[in-house]
Amino acid sequence: MSVESSVSAPEIRKLWKSDIPEIARHLLRLDHESRYSRFGALVSDDYINRYAEGTIAVGRVVFGAFFDGHLRAIGELLGLFQSWPHDAEFALSVEPDWQNKGVGGMLFARLVTASQNRGVTSLQGLFFKENQKMQRIVAKHAPEIIRNDSQIEAKFDPPWASPISFARELAQDVGAYFRQVYHLAT
């Protein structure tokens, strides 16, 4: 299937336990470079399957980007409520054919809103210095950047939650729910 066959923006929604098989399929479709970028190492298919089993858990919020009904990218908010004040980590994975189309930025925007609505005071991510795509995505939030030989740690403070940020997340969740119900009914 050609990427060009998808004529509209992705359907982005929170992922649930029932999505775990699709999460595993998405992660298994990542090429070596994308897997390495996401996990910081080349990981086996067995590792991917075990990882997928644990993606939907307390202290995590995971969003997926679907094109033509197939999960092609995920954004993860990890480590919620494990510290005070609340810190969290973010991670993104986008299948190669779907990169450079703004999907990572869309998912990251959802992660920022989710983090602010959950009282996160510091959001951080770790990625390789060669990962120009992640650098461009996080640069919009003026992060503090810590560089070492091979990696970059980006850290920034999400905005405070507001009635608008809560309403935005609620509207997105409700809209996604009704679209899911509609697709199941048709």
Side-chain angles (χ1 to χ4, degrees):
M1 175 179 88
S2 167
V3 171
E4 278 40 286
S5 70
S6 180
V7 293
S8 61
E11 170 70 28
I12 296 178
R13 66 171 175 82
K14 284 183 183 141
L15 300 180
W16 304 100
K17 285 272 188 197
S18 61
D19 293 309
I20 288 175
E22 189 70 21
I23 292 168
R25 285 189 290 273
H26 156 68
L27 293 171
L28 289 167
R29 285 190 297 264
L30 295 176
D31 63 5
H32 289 297
E33 182 181 334
S34 300
R35 272 193 201 190
Y36 188 73
S37 290
R38 169 59 191 87
F39 294 103
L42 290 177
V43 296
S44 69
D45 290 355
D46 287 338
Y47 178 90
I48 295 282
N49 286 315
R50 285 190 308 275
Y51 182 87
E53 286 295 322
T55 52
I56 309 301
V58 173
R60 292 178 170 220
V61 177
V62 183
F63 291 92
F66 291 81
F67 288 87
D68 297 327
H70 298 285
L71 182 63
R72 299 299 184 181
I74 61 174
E76 301 172 70
L77 191 57
L78 313 157
L80 291 170
F81 315 121
Q82 291 181 354
S83 65
W84 185 260
H86 296 308
D87 293 342
E89 296 178 47
F90 63 86
L92 297 172
S93 61
V94 181
E95 292 176 24
D97 287 345
W98 305 91
Q99 294 176 8
N100 301 315
K101 299 182 183 322
V103 178
M106 287 183 255
L107 285 168
F108 192 71
R110 293 285 184 99
L111 295 176
V112 170
T113 299
S115 68
Q116 78 183 101
N117 288 344
R118 285 153 184 81
V120 170
T121 56
S122 179
L123 188 58
Q124 55 207 11
L126 189 65
F127 46 89
F128 292 107
K129 67 181 182 178
E130 296 84 13
N131 193 338
Q132 298 292 316
K133 296 169 190 170
M134 281 302 300
Q135 290 182 51
R136 283 191 299 274
I137 289 169
V138 300
K140 298 171 186 169
H141 297 277
E144 172 189 347
I145 299 289
I146 301 166
R147 298 175 192 271
N148 68 30
D149 290 339
S150 63
Q151 294 182 324
I152 294 174
E153 180 181 0
K155 186 185 230 183
F156 71 96
D157 301 336
W160 288 97
S162 67
I164 292 172
S165 69
F166 283 116
R168 181 183 312 119
E169 186 173 356
L170 179 63
Q172 291 165 343
D173 289 349
V174 169
Y177 173 78
F178 282 111
R179 282 187 293 279
Q180 283 293 104
V181 169
Y182 175 76
H183 288 314
L184 291 174
T186 58

